[in-house]
Amino acid sequence: MLTLDHGALLEHAARDGHEIGRLCRAAPEATVRSCPEWSGADLLAHTTAFAHWMPAVFAGTSTMTTPLPTVTPAEAAGDWDGALDSLLGTLRAATADDPVPNWSTSPDTAIFWIRRCAQEFAVHRWDAATTGTAEPAPIHAELARDGIEEYFDAFTATGLAVHPELAADATITLELTDLDLSISKDLPRPGPVTRMRGTASELLLALWHRIDPLDLHVDGDRGLLERWPRI
């Protein structure tokens, strides 16, 4: 269920995208604590490659099997601003229902990627902030709520479609304390409930294993969270 519109998603993508550039350039050699295999420079190279690839998908010159272009950390330091501006221009020019392919079971429309870009940059902005010593600022609550919905709409649904052997009679319930909201998803059939509680930002980051899901466990099967996929 999409909870933010086209314009709001683009505002978040632009804000977080610029912050990724600032943070990664400020600490290019520092370890990204949430993804310790990366330095700040490596993270910027990853996001720059994604930003170069995305307009080609909209233009039809890249497909879901086209690998991301190779971008070195040195190239990314100079390319990021232009790549981000090009990507945002592509997303702003699109309408939500424009046909654009994606890799998931979701409809092949532009809004999938508009949403994906906002969520990609939200999590990577948080990642980039872990290059410093202070705790990263949380992901905006409504954006994080939409990210939770996207995680289940796209990643969980597609994973279960591709790997039906993973289907379970189980339900996960997320209690978003800052939004006074509860989100429940069956995996894919209803069953015993595993409950997590935290802010919208904390819960989204736990789904993406940026923080330990078990830290937010309230009750139910802890094993479900111990086995939670890293994607």
Side-chain angles (χ1 to χ4, degrees):
M1 179 181 67
L2 187 69
T3 63
L4 292 176
D5 65 19
H6 187 165
L9 290 167
L10 284 174
E11 288 178 9
H12 285 295
R15 186 178 302 113
D16 285 330
H18 288 299
E19 190 68 356
I20 287 168
R22 185 187 72 81
L23 290 164
C24 289
R25 287 180 178 130
E29 302 301 324
T31 297
V32 178
R33 285 181 279 124
S34 55
C35 300
E37 69 276 14
W38 279 345
S39 66
D42 294 329
L43 173 54
L44 191 60
H46 168 77
T47 53
T48 302
F50 175 79
H52 279 309
W53 178 75
M54 196 74 267
V57 172
F58 273 69
T61 56
S62 288
T63 69
M64 295 303 97
T65 59
T66 304
L68 267 63
T70 300
V71 177
T72 68
E75 290 169 339
D79 286 354
W80 173 243
D81 294 328
L84 177 62
D85 286 346
S86 176
L87 170 58
L88 293 172
T90 296
L91 300 181
R92 290 185 181 114
T95 61
D97 294 331
D98 284 350
V100 184
N102 69 72
W103 45 262
S104 78
T105 56
S106 304
D108 288 320
T109 54
I111 195 63
F112 173 91
W113 287 113
I114 294 164
R115 186 188 206 187
R116 179 85 290 274
C117 289
Q119 296 302 334
E120 177 88 356
F121 291 165
V123 173
H124 283 326
R125 189 280 306 163
W126 192 91
D127 289 331
T130 70
T131 58
T133 56
E135 282 300 305
I139 296 170
H140 182 278
E142 288 293 348
L143 180 62
R145 173 193 174 182
D146 186 72
I148 291 167
E149 295 284 1
E150 188 226 20
Y151 187 97
F152 290 115
D153 291 346
F155 293 91
T156 302
T158 304
L160 290 171
V162 173
H163 299 287
E165 70 277 8
L166 300 178
D169 299 320
T171 300
I172 185 166
T173 293
L174 308 182
E175 297 179 352
L176 286 60
T177 54
D178 50 341
L179 296 179
D180 192 24
L181 177 70
S182 180
I183 297 173
S184 291
K185 298 293 179 179
D186 300 326
L187 301 174
R189 299 176 296 272
V193 175
T194 296
R195 194 179 317 275
M196 298 168 66
R197 183 180 298 133
T199 66
S201 178
E202 288 169 339
L203 289 163
L204 177 62
L205 292 166
L207 292 177
W208 283 105
H209 276 284
R210 269 28 185 212
I211 63 177
D212 188 346
L214 288 170
D215 288 347
L216 304 179
H217 176 262
V218 177
D219 55 38
D221 181 12
R222 287 176 61 89
L224 179 71
L225 302 184
E226 290 169 347
R227 298 186 300 273
W228 197 255
R230 292 180 179 271
I231 57 176

